[in-house]
Amino acid sequence: MNRLSSSVPVDEYLADSSVLVYLSDAVTQLLEHKEEYTQFGVVRYFAEYFSSVKNSNHVLFREYSYIRATLHNRASFIRVFWRCYRQIGKSGDMLSMLEYRSLLQLLCPDFPVEVVQSAARIVLMDDAIDCLMSFPDFLYAFQLQFYYQEFLDSVLAIYQDLLAGKSPNTVIVPTSTSIELLHSVTAEENEKAGQQQDGVESSTLAECVEALCDRFKHCHPSRSCMKEVFNQTEKVCYFSFLMSLAKHETINETIGALPSKAELLIDQEMDQELDKLIAQISVSPGSNSSGSAVGGLKEAQRKASPRRNIHHRRKVESDGSTEETDSSEN
Amino acid sequence: MADKEKRRSGVTPPGMPEGRAAKLDSDREFLSSAGVGELLRGAILKMVEARSDDPVGFLADHFCNLASVTETGAAGCGDGDAHGNGPLSASASAQEAQQHLNRALWHLRLAHHSQRSAFSNNVRVAYDLLNLTGACRQPPEGPEGPEGSCTEGPTPEGGGGGVKGGLYTQTLQCLCSEGGVPASTSAPLLQRLHCQDHEAVPYDVFRHGVLTCAVFSDYIRQAQRLYAEVCCPDEGPASRALCLAVLGTLKEALETSQGCDANCCLNANAKANHCLEAGVKAIRYLEASAKISPCKLAQAMSGAQTRGPGGHMDAKEFENAAAELFITRVKVVS
């Protein structure tokens, strides 16, 4: 406990912690499922709710607005994503951006494609967005993009201003509308893809990012890590900068959702838990049918899971047609 | 403020379909009939009072505790009905005592001791809870009456004249071990604060003991940190000379502030207007903190580096030495 905390005014204390988000969500959930939740008493309900938030298993199957509402929720979701699909990394499968989106949507039905796109751009350095990505590459890029999305959007805006030769001071900090903004930005950005190869002066971007950090209280990667990355090269391009951040071990530790890359795929206990989760998720109909259809193509080694369903579909289609049709179908 | 927030979150939750007055009304009715408003108000007040660094964890513990209290409370009543004619079995009453102890400890953990009024309130609640257990366990009082009163929940008049010494000692032990103090380090302190198992411990002594253990836990944590500063992890244990210099400085500082700790605890209930004394005390504290300031420490350490005994001192030895400085300043109870 912080000894000096009594000097913090009440409203500031409540605003700094995201506890009000949870209180209001708890009541909303309670009202939506009155009968279900009240049979054991409301006190027990609140106890369960806050315990699940504390243990980070509160984001599964929740809507996107809730998942991104707090940093704790974001970290919890990244962890859930990793735990659910770790097997992909183990088997070494490469998936496309849209397939990763499908996986994400199994955990969060309205997960927007834009965030997945941005993460894929980090891995693929903005070109060849249909290429396949390994699970760990995508996971760490996704973590960075999803956890620091507002901050990164602002960095992108600054970066583009710098590229265009504008003064970055006029940059408007995107807030909740960041997604739409990102959308318009990406279109614009494709036009001048040629320019982007060069990037901008690291020192200039570093200065702007430093100033940006002051506006984003704690929601940015640590300054020292970013400085470290900026110091590596004279010129930096946005996506290579993000790639370095995504691979940065200290940033990963700060977020605290994922283990280091070396330990990403090792965990006996997790395997058992994963089996349980898969058993829960694979209740969805149809997960077995495609498995049997392509049974001959793959050695039967894993349990039925939605993931495998998608995976097999890709295999089948990529045999007959191109990746493009696969992507558009998804 | 907290109330306002709660009401807002409670009555018009965001994400609800809008424009459905009927639904809103029925929701409001539901919330008030279920007592959600009261429940959340109480929780938020507790949370704000304690200013926990982890409010979500705090609320989780708070509601879990409340739920277990209401659930065991209800079960306890049922039990009482079933065994209405006979005394509770020994194991049941031991279980209940354990529950009371857990709840008392939970209350004591709620607020840091530097939050004086919150901490004092919690100590009082914990004391009353443990006092209740004492009443229940006392055989001469007749098994049925007090049993009923304790399963019903806290009753102010149901005291047994003081917390039993054994329970008091147990509480202090738990506090120290939860505070991260190894049993071997806290043993001499507990020796000083010890009351006989059969003794009834009055509130002032209880408060003194609890507060001392809480401060001691903090102190030991600081001492451990101090050692970590002195020693470089790569080079093995810290040099003895450096440790002795640091401990010497610490001792000097403590001596400057001597008497303050004890006074503070003893005078807590007798709130006499010792304005002058308070002023003197404040000056002493300032002097003491100057003596343990980084530059003083650095001076002492650089002096020690050139002369002083050779060899090393490990973390445990340092901790014990620091603990001893503290413990010698704690008055022996009774």
Side-chain angles (χ1 to χ4, degrees), chain B residues 234-308:
Chain B
D234 306 331
E235 296 167 21
S239 104
R240 176 167 297 272
L242 282 185
C243 290
L244 287 178
V246 170
L247 287 169
T249 319
L250 186 61
K251 183 166 182 238
E252 204 183 324
L254 283 175
E255 267 160 10
T256 312
S257 66
Q258 195 171 29
C260 292
D261 281 348
N263 278 345
C264 156
C265 296
L266 293 176
N267 289 346
N269 54 333
K271 283 190 183 128
N273 298 330
H274 297 315
C275 283
L276 190 68
E277 220 173 89
V280 171
K281 233 194 263 177
I283 291 167
R284 277 216 222 114
Y285 281 139
L286 282 178
E287 274 174 20
S289 50
K291 286 207 169 138
I292 192 83
S293 66
C295 74
K296 277 273 179 193
L297 259 181
Q299 261 178 18
M301 285 169 77
S302 69
Q305 221 146 24
T306 47
R307 53 206 145 70

Side-chain angles (χ1 to χ4, degrees), chain B residues 20 26 64 69 78 96 108 111 134 175 291 308-309:
Chain B
R20 293 202 198 158
S26 83
C64 282
V69 167
E96 198 181 280
L108 291 176
L175 279 180
K291 286 207 169 138

Side-chain angles (χ1 to χ4, degrees), chain A residues 1-11 13-14 17-20 22-24 27-28 30-32 34 38 40 42-44 46-48 50-51 53-54 72, chain B residues 1 5 9-10 13-14 26-27 30-31 34 36 39-40 44 47-48 51-53 55-57 59-61 63-64 66-68 71 109-112 114-115 218:
Chain A
M1 277 182 207
N2 186 356
R3 272 157 180 267
L4 304 171
S5 58
S6 58
S7 55
V8 181
V10 171
D11 37 357
Y13 172 75
L14 289 175
S17 67
S18 41
V19 72
L20 293 177
Y22 295 114
L23 281 168
S24 111
V27 176
T28 312
L30 177 67
L31 288 174
E32 276 174 20
K34 274 177 220 167
T38 46
F40 301 111
V42 275
V43 181
R44 183 45 76 186
F46 281 110
E48 296 293 330
F50 282 98
S51 300
V53 174
K54 185 175 148 193
H72 174 64
Chain B
M1 175 62 209
E5 287 295 345
S9 63
S26 83
D27 282 351
F30 166 77
L31 289 178
V36 172
L39 187 70
L40 293 188
I44 293 173
M47 181 183 81
V48 168
R51 299 282 165 101
S52 160
D53 283 345
V56 167
L59 287 181
D61 290 349
F63 287 121
C64 282
L66 269 186
S68 71
E71 277 153 27
R109 277 194 297 265
L110 277 181
H112 189 261
S114 60
Q115 320 259 0
D218 273 3

Side-chain angles (χ1 to χ4, degrees), chain B residues 60-103:
Chain B
D61 290 349
H62 176 81
F63 287 121
C64 282
N65 183 60
L66 269 186
S68 71
V69 167
T70 42
E71 277 153 27
T72 53
C77 285
D79 229 19
D81 287 344
H83 304 282
N85 301 323
L88 272 180
S89 66
S91 73
S93 90
Q95 210 179 2
E96 198 181 280
Q98 187 59 44
Q99 261 172 24
H100 279 177
L101 180 63
N102 288 343
R103 278 173 61 196

